[in-house]
Amino acid sequence: MPSLEGKVSAEEWQTRVDLAAAYRLVALFHWDDLVFTHITARVPGTEHYLINPYGLMFEEITASSLVKIDLAGNVLQETRFPINPAGFTIHSAVHAARHDVQCVMHTHTLNGVAVSAQKAGVLPISQQSIFVLASLGYHDYEGVALRDDEKPRLVASLGSRTFLMLRNHGLLTVGRTVADAFQAMYTFEATCAIQVRAQAGGSLADGRLTEVSGSIIATAGEQARQVSKGGLGQLIWPGLLRRLDRVDPGFRR
């Protein structure tokens, strides 16, 4: 695939590199669901967005292969690939409503879907969970996300939060950068994995789980700020890119 480096703005190229890295990292962490989940990013200073070329596996996605679209779903570059209509429905709704975020990440992980099917949702049973619970919304399942009339309800479910649990469906995070959205998803996925494992041990002892108090959850935002040194996403992102460069450097093409 021809490289777009030097043919798009420096801001767009950096966004393409970061978003391609996010797709490769999702594959590396085994969060992908073949080709059926999505990560989108706004090109800085524009109302244009980058999304995966539908049909490429996540470990195949490169900076140049990402497809640029507008909020109406119009493709703004030459590409032989379509985009996923369900992915566009969800992501266009969030991007249109949340101008404070650059990136929207959505996954269908086994752990995430398992917890999304539980009536109680996320339980306050781990350190990871307190950060999720401090900024978590829920959205009821309405079938495959293909209808525009679901958009206002999805946006209302997310509100100004960082984390959204799509009931019977999966997980969604937003971030002011690709790095922030990825870090939020890492925490969300870890929360769900810990919960499923803890529940699997329910037959031991009396089967009860120790819950974190509400007063601790209420201060989770401040705790995160104290340890983030300006943003957890930005803190971990350079190291994640170095990891990718060691094992899977093709994302930069």
Side-chain angles (χ1 to χ4, degrees), residues 94-171:
V94 176
H95 280 298
R98 291 287 302 273
H99 296 286
D100 58 315
V101 303
Q102 180 193 26
C103 183
V104 180
M105 179 174 289
H106 171 45
T107 63
H108 299 159
T109 63
L110 299 183
N111 296 313
V113 176
V115 175
S116 78
Q118 297 178 10
K119 287 283 188 182
V122 174
L123 301 176
I125 60 171
S126 66
Q127 178 165 277
Q128 288 83 351
S129 72
I130 71 171
F131 302 111
V132 174
L133 288 165
S135 188
L136 175 63
Y138 291 89
H139 180 67
D140 289 337
Y141 187 61
E142 300 187 26
V144 177
L146 295 170
R147 303 185 314 276
D148 284 343
D149 71 306
E150 184 179 359
K151 288 183 177 183
R153 293 186 293 276
L154 190 148
V155 166
S157 298
L158 176 62
S160 60
R161 303 175 185 91
T162 298
F163 304 91
L164 182 64
M165 179 157 277
L166 303 167
R167 293 286 194 182
N168 311 100
H169 184 173
L171 310 179

Side-chain angles (χ1 to χ4, degrees), residues 174-197:
V174 299
R176 60 185 178 84
T177 64
V178 174
D180 286 341
F182 183 88
Q183 186 276 325
M185 183 59 74
Y186 181 90
T187 303
F188 208 176
E189 171 61 20
T191 294
C192 293
I194 291 166
Q195 180 166 322
V196 170
R197 293 187 185 195

Side-chain angles (χ1 to χ4, degrees), residues 195-217:
Q195 180 166 322
V196 170
R197 293 187 185 195
Q199 291 169 324
S203 60
L204 302 176
D206 61 6
R208 293 184 295 177
L209 300 174
T210 302
E211 294 193 352
V212 177
S213 72
S215 62
I216 293 176
I217 295 171

Side-chain angles (χ1 to χ4, degrees), residues 44-65:
T46 76
E47 290 301 313
H48 300 158
Y49 306 85
L50 300 172
I51 193 169
N52 55 309
Y54 198 27
L56 285 188
M57 306 301 285
F58 283 15
E59 67 269 19
E60 297 175 318
I61 290 175
T62 65
S64 297
S65 69

